[in-house]
């Protein structure tokens, strides 16, 4: 969920982070992201990404897979709307926070529940998305702001597309390369970002087995690390696997 990407994989924000870019170091992605998360007690906003809410809100809940779950806001939102979620991230620190947030939400709910807190619907999984392959297929596979200067975005997003079951949904959201947050000095790596037509082409969504439902760019306001205001644009792709 983020525009900040200097290591191998997922970045975890929608453009409203208060952090800066990470300088690439000679360490593995998991260690690099763990170090980054440790710089702040909470790196991201804690709110689900707005395009996820808009596009997944009307879908029938089932089995969901999220690639690059960060501190867990999107996975928790999905779980509390009836989805059973597999949430994957490279950072153990992020996943520990995500699990804590999940438990806190259930604890609050248990106060009003007659039979105690329900069991979590989320399975948290640490993995390097450069090599990881999911088990089984899913009704919804989502990737939100999966940008990295060190990993070709085509790799994890092709994994995402391949994990959608027939009748299921692929939802990909990212920063539009022409409308990036102006305070992201490390964002000027053209290969990190994509337009909608790039997604359709590289994920082979023009083939007969897919139907593209939404392919657009949506503007929204964001606030920068020093309180700056700007308008950015999200690339939004939602497609249905037909067979």
């Amino acid at each position: 969920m983020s525009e900040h990407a200097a290591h191998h994989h997922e970045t975890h924000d929608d453009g409203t982070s208060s952090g800066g870019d990470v300088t690439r170091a000679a360490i593995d992605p998991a260690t690099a992201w763990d170090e980054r998360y440790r710089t702040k007690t909470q790196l991201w906003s804690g709110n689900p990404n707005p395009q996820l809410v808009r596009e997944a809100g009307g879908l029938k809940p089932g089995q969901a897979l999220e690639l690059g779950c960060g501190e867990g806001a999107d996975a928790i939102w999905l779980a509390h709307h009836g989805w059973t979620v597999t949430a994957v991230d490279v950072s153990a620190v992020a996943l520990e926070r995500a699990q804590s947030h999940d438990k806190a939400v259930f604890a609050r709910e248990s106060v009003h529940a007659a039979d105690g807190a329900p069991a979590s619907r989320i399975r948290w999984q640490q993995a390097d998305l450069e090599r990881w392959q999911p088990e089984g297929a899913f009704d919804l596979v989502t990737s939100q702001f999966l940008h990295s200067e060190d990993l070709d975005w085509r790799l994890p997003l092709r994994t995402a597309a391949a994990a959608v079951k027939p009748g299921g949904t692929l939802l990909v959201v990212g920063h539009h390369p022409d409308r990036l947050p102006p305070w992201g000095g490390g964002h000027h790596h053209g290969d990190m970002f994509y337009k909608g037509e790039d997604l359709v082409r590289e994920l082979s969504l023009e083939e007969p087995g897919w139907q593209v439902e939404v392919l657009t760019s949506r503007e929204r306001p964001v606030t920068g690390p020093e309180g700056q205001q700007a308008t950015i644009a999200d690339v939004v792709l939602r497609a249905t696997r037909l067979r």
Side-chain angles (χ1 to χ4, degrees), residues 151-180:
L151 175 70
D152 188 336
W153 54 265
R154 297 164 184 81
L155 295 175
L157 295 189
R158 285 171 180 161
T159 297
V164 180
K165 66 170 57 174
T169 298
L170 174 68
L171 176 60
V172 179
V173 179
H175 290 300
H176 194 289
D178 298 334
R179 298 293 302 275
L180 298 174

Side-chain angles (χ1 to χ4, degrees), residues 41-155:
T41 56
Q42 182 173 320
L43 197 58
W44 312 121
S45 69
N47 300 316
N49 281 306
Q51 308 302 350
L52 172 75
V53 173
R54 177 170 178 172
E55 297 300 332
L59 299 178
K60 180 181 178 180
Q63 298 285 333
L65 170 66
E66 182 188 3
L67 278 69
C69 66
E71 291 166 323
D74 287 352
I76 293 170
W77 183 88
L78 286 168
H80 285 264
H81 285 78
W83 295 87
T84 299
V85 186
T86 298
V88 185
D89 200 275
V90 71
S91 171
V93 174
L95 290 170
E96 182 179 356
R97 292 181 184 178
Q99 291 180 72
S100 294
H101 296 161
D102 190 23
K103 291 178 181 178
V105 171
F106 276 116
R108 290 195 298 270
E109 290 187 347
S110 69
V111 174
H112 306 288
D115 54 354
S120 175
R121 292 177 175 267
I122 307 172
R123 180 169 71 97
W124 306 99
Q125 182 176 355
Q126 183 183 11
D128 182 337
L129 294 182
E130 187 172 22
R131 294 181 290 273
W132 176 79
Q133 293 293 323
E135 298 178 0
F138 298 82
D139 300 290
L140 169 66
V141 180
T142 177
S143 167
Q144 304 279 315
F145 304 99
L146 193 67
H147 301 301
S148 169
E149 63 186 78
D150 294 331
L151 175 70
D152 188 336
W153 54 265
R154 297 164 184 81
L155 295 175

Side-chain angles (χ1 to χ4, degrees), residues 159-233:
T159 297
V164 180
K165 66 170 57 174
T169 298
L170 174 68
L171 176 60
V172 179
V173 179
H175 290 300
H176 194 289
D178 298 334
R179 298 293 302 275
L180 298 174
W183 49 80
H187 297 164
H188 306 297
H189 303 277
D191 291 342
M192 288 172 57
F193 305 101
Y194 42 74
K195 297 180 180 180
E197 54 266 32
D198 300 327
L199 291 172
V200 171
R201 181 184 65 253
E202 297 298 337
L203 303 184
S204 300
L205 301 181
E206 75 282 0
E207 295 183 357
W210 287 95
Q211 179 172 315
V212 175
E213 311 286 356
V214 176
L215 184 63
T216 190
S217 174
R218 293 180 183 146
E219 293 185 347
R220 61 185 173 86
V222 293
T223 302
E226 305 300 328
Q228 314 97 307
Q229 301 296 312
T231 299
I232 65 172

